[in-house]
Amino acid sequence: RVQLYSNPSNSWFTKTDTGAANGFDVTEIHFDASTTTTEDILSEIYKIRDKVDGIQAMWPFPEHVDSARIFNAIPVPKDVDGIHFVGQRELGNEDVYPPVTPAAAMELIKEYKVDIKGKHAVVVGRSPIVGSPLAYMLRQAGAAVTIVHTDVDKETLKELVGQADILVSCAGSPGALQAEWLKDGVGVINVGTTFSESQDCLLPDIEGDIESKASRYSPVPGGVGPLSSPILFRNVAQAAWDQMEGNGEVSATWDKEPAYIR
């Protein structure tokens, strides 16, 4: 797997050590955010995409980089971060790999047996790798989904947040939401985090006493984040297997027990 960075600050931790501990060879490629061009990143992708099992391009990119061209250069069979997930699913491709952060949020919902069918889920955030695919996953699981974002005026945002049975915040904007807006008994999944250099910590989107309003919630840090790397490596392992199977290097009748990420 190769991980492409437009800026090292776009990821809070390295996955090299985690990968090495579990049998994954991770190469991180760093680019200078102020000088790197779209062509620089594309050139790197073209050089490595036939040599690796999976590629993750760390989003967001600097404003001068054409993110659409970067993501479109990643082949679907190697798209282990699921940037093509929604489009491919809409086309009927059930084998596309899920985006890791939305998949982590759904794993939390599954693990704690949160009933979302018929519930009103509000997703705050619309990015192509978190908010949009997470809304899609929730909808597929039977929730009635509303997508809002920080460009919505504050009163409308407050009103919609207050209607949520399940609130998923993935805006990446500290203090964008206030805990006092929440409906009593709501389930809250904190996805959006922002690293504060001045405070030397991760800050959530929701400010205030969530515990006083929510029936259950995921903390920041320690909620969705720890699940993201295992899901990423699960996608990489599946991508490697699918490519080997497609090339005839392994048999579909393989009956060995799989390894587990430690």
Side-chain angles (χ1 to χ4, degrees):
R1 170 187 167 272
V2 169
Q3 178 167 292
L4 298 173
Y5 282 89
S6 59
N7 185 334
S9 67
N10 287 349
S11 183
W12 316 129
F13 56 92
T14 174
K15 298 180 182 73
T16 304
D17 293 342
T18 305
N22 290 281
F24 294 86
D25 182 10
V26 178
T27 300
E28 295 179 348
I29 303 172
H30 297 266
F31 296 97
D32 186 295
S34 61
T35 61
T36 298
T37 66
T38 300
E39 299 303 326
D40 291 334
I41 301 175
L42 287 174
S43 176
E44 198 66 47
I45 292 175
Y46 295 148
K47 281 194 296 186
I48 55 92
R49 66 182 183 180
D50 293 329
K51 303 174 184 178
V52 299
D53 298 310
I55 300 172
Q56 179 187 37
M58 300 301 292
W59 185 91
F61 294 101
E63 290 185 1
H64 64 274
V65 169
D66 187 339
S67 58
R69 290 183 65 196
I70 302 302
F71 288 133
N72 284 332
I74 299 174
V76 172
K78 298 177 188 289
D79 176 24
V80 293
D81 205 22
I83 191 63
H84 299 296
F85 176 78
V86 174
Q88 287 294 307
R89 278 294 182 92
E90 294 287 7
L91 292 173
N93 181 3
E94 295 296 319
D95 297 324
V96 67
Y97 312 115
V100 297
T101 301
M106 296 303 291
E107 286 287 344
L108 275 181
I109 289 171
K110 179 180 177 181
E111 176 66 23
Y112 288 96
K113 298 179 174 57
V114 178
D115 181 16
I116 62 175
K117 192 170 184 179
K119 300 294 177 62
H120 183 197
V122 174
V123 178
V124 183
R126 53 181 171 172
S127 78
I129 60 172
V130 183
S132 294
L134 186 47
Y136 176 90
M137 291 176 179
L138 288 165
R139 189 185 75 205
Q140 293 298 105
V145 181
T146 299
I147 302 176
V148 293
H149 45 80
T150 52
D151 286 341
V152 172
D153 69 84
K154 187 174 181 179
E155 286 306 310
T156 302
L157 183 61
K158 178 181 178 180
E159 180 182 355
L160 291 171
V161 166
Q163 295 173 4
D165 300 314
I166 300 165
L167 176 69
V168 185
S169 180
C170 43
S173 178
L177 312 179
Q178 298 297 314
E180 63 188 40
W181 298 352
L182 303 175
K183 179 169 71 174
D184 289 337
V186 65
V188 177
I189 300 179
N190 268 307
V191 177
T193 57
T194 304
F195 183 73
S196 169
E197 292 188 7
S198 61
Q199 299 180 52
D200 192 31
C201 66
L202 291 174
L203 301 177
D205 292 340
I206 305 173
E207 190 174 77
D209 184 9
I210 301 174
E211 188 174 357
S212 67
K213 304 286 283 188
S215 59
R216 62 181 71 194
Y217 69 97
S218 64
V220 172
V224 173
L227 294 174
S228 296
S229 282
I231 290 172
L232 174 65
F233 289 124
R234 183 175 69 186
N235 284 353
V236 174
Q238 187 64 56
W241 177 270
D242 291 344
Q243 290 167 67
M244 291 174 68
E245 193 173 57
N247 294 334
E249 298 176 54
V250 294
S251 169
T253 60
W254 178 276
D255 59 2
K256 304 290 186 182
E257 281 293 317
Y260 294 92
I261 293 177
R262 294 188 294 274

